[in-house]
Amino acid sequence: MAVAERQPAVQTEGRGWPQRWSALRELAGAASDEIRRSYRLHGVHRTPDTLTLQHCLTTPDHLVAQVSGEAGGNPNPRELRARLSVLQQALALDVIAPLSLRLMLDGKAPALTAADIFLLPAGGDRRWHWRETATELDADSFLTTMADHANRWYPVFRQAFGVSPGAYWSSVGLGLGMPFSALYDKAPPAALCALASEWMEAFDCDAARFIDWIPARFDGRAFGIPQRRGCCLKYQLPQGGYCGTCGVYRKERLGALTPARRAPATPGQWSPAE
């Protein structure tokens, strides 16, 4: 019988979150400078005169009208809902994700309000940006503030924009989990998934309910990946498609983690990590 390869453990007890993540990064052999160069981690120093997230939350009809106009003026309800859902995912990936990564890299992150976040077109696709602020959050304040933001934004995205709970919270989860996604192909999968899951549980919101961190293999290589329980609906849009973490794969992937249900993988096909 083959003996399972022992993976190195991350010594994290009694340490703060940036230190715990840095221990995992060092175990992965990933240089912090390389990570900084790979991601857009900074905002602008002045908010331009454009649509802010605060305006979207207080006057949601304005955003609905803009998105409808960009879709040709009269999209059907299904397409409009999909566009707004994808836009909410972009908010998580354009703002929450880099702030989460900044926290782990620097030990602090800018303290933003909805008025500091704004929407600009970028190459035909809308993209969220944020304004750099003088006030910064440490890890404990970040956990509280980001959970509060996500909880307060949720009713508008759910009721005014029609974003489903699964789509909303799994997108938020992807943003919060970005520091671990940045190491998905370098860190030992078991250690990464355990620490990422603990990080998600530290937020007082529903994000952890809609994201599972699981070990996986692809083409013989081991990874630790986030598996969302909801879909952003991008596949419903022209030139859409399914992302690698899409909830449509969840049942198959989680089921494959049960040893009795494992089957030999074919080249190029996703399979669970051993």
Side-chain angles (χ1 to χ4, degrees):
M1 179 181 295
V3 178
E5 182 180 353
R6 182 175 303 218
Q7 295 189 351
V10 183
Q11 301 301 321
T12 63
E13 287 201 16
R15 306 175 71 181
W17 274 109
Q19 292 76 30
R20 300 178 75 184
W21 179 82
S22 292
L24 180 67
R25 175 185 59 75
E26 291 171 3
L27 183 62
S32 58
D33 288 347
E34 179 183 352
I35 293 174
R36 292 179 194 277
R37 289 192 298 268
S38 300
Y39 298 93
R40 183 175 66 95
L41 297 179
H42 295 278
V44 301
H45 292 283
R46 186 177 68 85
T47 305
D49 184 16
T50 188
L51 188 64
T52 66
L53 176 59
Q54 182 63 41
H55 188 78
C56 295
L57 296 173
T58 56
T59 315
D61 288 347
H62 191 172
L63 180 60
V64 172
Q66 284 204 11
V67 172
S68 296
E70 292 166 0
N74 189 30
N76 62 56
R78 184 172 183 264
E79 180 184 352
L80 179 60
R81 178 170 174 258
R83 288 182 179 275
L84 290 164
S85 180
V86 170
L87 198 57
Q88 184 265 327
Q89 177 180 247
L91 173 63
L93 298 180
D94 292 343
V95 179
I96 297 176
L99 292 180
S100 301
L101 195 47
R102 277 269 293 269
L103 175 75
M104 297 302 193
L105 286 166
D106 300 336
K108 55 190 177 182
L112 302 184
T113 68
D116 298 313
I117 302 168
F118 55 95
L119 193 58
L120 285 178
D125 295 323
R126 280 193 172 276
R127 188 164 190 175
W128 298 91
H129 298 256
W130 78 94
R131 179 175 65 87
E132 289 282 349
T133 61
T135 305
E136 294 181 311
L137 303 171
D138 61 14
D140 289 340
S141 298
F142 185 87
L143 289 167
T144 301
T145 300
M146 294 310 299
D148 182 60
H149 284 337
N151 286 324
R152 285 190 292 106
W153 299 347
Y154 173 70
V156 179
F157 278 96
R158 179 72 186 110
Q159 297 163 16
F161 301 141
V163 179
S164 72
Y168 180 88
W169 288 113
S170 58
S171 290
V172 169
L174 288 181
L176 294 174
M178 186 64 219
F180 301 94
S181 293
L183 304 175
Y184 86 101
D185 59 343
K186 299 179 179 66
L192 184 149
C193 292
L195 198 59
S197 297
E198 188 178 344
W199 167 249
M200 296 302 306
E201 291 288 350
F203 290 91
D204 187 17
C205 66
D206 281 342
R209 291 181 52 208
F210 291 91
I211 285 283
D212 297 296
W213 281 85
I214 61 175
R217 279 192 182 275
F218 186 81
D219 285 344
R221 294 183 59 198
F223 303 97
I225 63 171
Q227 175 61 68
R228 54 190 297 168
R229 299 190 182 204
C231 177
C232 70
L233 304 183
K234 184 178 180 181
Y235 76 94
Q236 295 182 3
L237 300 178
Q239 299 179 339
Y242 298 101
C243 68
T245 63
C246 185
V248 301
Y249 303 125
R250 179 177 176 272
K251 184 176 181 180
E252 173 190 354
R253 288 175 173 174
L254 293 183
L257 288 172
T258 304
R261 297 179 60 183
R262 290 178 178 169
T266 57
Q269 182 181 16
W270 181 93
S271 66
E274 298 295 335

